[in-house]
Amino acid sequence: FDSWFALLRGVWQQHFASGLQHGDVIILHHPSKEATICKRIIGMPGDTVVRTDGGDSQDSNRRIVPPGHLWIEGDNSRQSLDSRSYGTVPASLVIGKVICRLWPLREYASLGLDGNGMEHWRRVSARIGRGSRPLPGNRRERFSGSHLLAHERSDVK
């Protein structure tokens, strides 16, 4: 019984009592259209975020997240439209934190077909914890997301 209590207490503290933190997966209103999106928090207010894609032509590759805003990115950084496309987003757009994946119900996810036409599978967890983004499945593929350069202690409520 003690181990179950400790597990539930840990889940409660990580997901419900801690507020928003780096690495949390969140659901939020899209900043420019009528839609909801699911992204991971990379930068909090006061943080300096470095874009590994070099940034855009008018700005440098470093961005400071302003007060009351977040820098968010999708885990599939090569195909994600996120803060690299539309900049920081107001924290007020956040609907909630994702703690569990309900669909698909299966325990394994397809990684697709290899060069020989064989389908490969990977075991996935239904629980979504705080942390960094998953790295590309192909180790030779270069990571293209942003990363945190400097973190200034601050809380978003």
Side-chain angles (χ1 to χ4, degrees):
F1 180 75
D2 287 338
S3 62
W4 278 102
F5 179 73
L7 174 67
L8 290 175
R9 188 177 77 216
V11 168
W12 177 263
Q13 288 173 341
Q14 180 180 0
H15 293 294
F16 299 109
S18 63
L20 297 178
Q21 294 185 17
H22 295 96
D24 281 342
V25 177
I26 57 173
I27 302 290
L28 65 155
H29 297 285
H30 193 284
S32 61
K33 61 183 177 182
E34 190 78 24
T36 55
I37 54 177
C38 179
K39 303 291 178 190
R40 188 177 299 273
I41 297 175
I42 303 300
M44 302 283 286
D47 289 346
T48 301
V49 177
V50 177
R51 294 177 55 170
T52 58
D53 62 1
D56 52 35
S57 58
Q58 7 175 295
D59 295 316
S60 73
N61 63 340
R62 294 179 187 209
R63 300 285 171 89
I64 296 176
V65 181
H69 287 72
L70 302 169
W71 185 273
I72 58 171
E73 290 188 16
D75 286 349
N76 185 359
S77 60
R78 291 196 183 273
Q79 297 180 348
S80 180
L81 294 176
D82 46 38
S83 287
R84 292 170 298 158
S85 305
Y86 42 74
T88 59
V89 296
S92 61
L93 295 179
V94 174
I95 298 168
K97 212 179 334 183
V98 176
I99 59 170
C100 182
R101 175 183 53 85
L102 296 176
W103 194 261
L105 297 174
R106 63 182 177 269
E107 190 175 352
Y108 290 85
S110 174
L111 296 175
L113 301 176
D114 65 14
N116 297 323
M118 295 290 297
E119 187 167 23
H120 293 271
W121 296 83
R122 177 179 61 144
R123 187 176 186 164
V124 295
S125 172
R127 184 165 182 260
I128 297 176
R130 178 176 297 126
S132 58
R133 290 171 289 201
L135 294 174
N138 180 350
R139 300 218 187 266
R140 287 174 258 162
E141 185 178 331
R142 198 173 145 232
F143 178 73
S144 67
S146 302
H147 65 276
L148 191 61
L149 177 66
H151 167 63
E152 200 174 285
R153 177 87 177 127
S154 62
D155 294 312
V156 175
K157 297 190 180 194

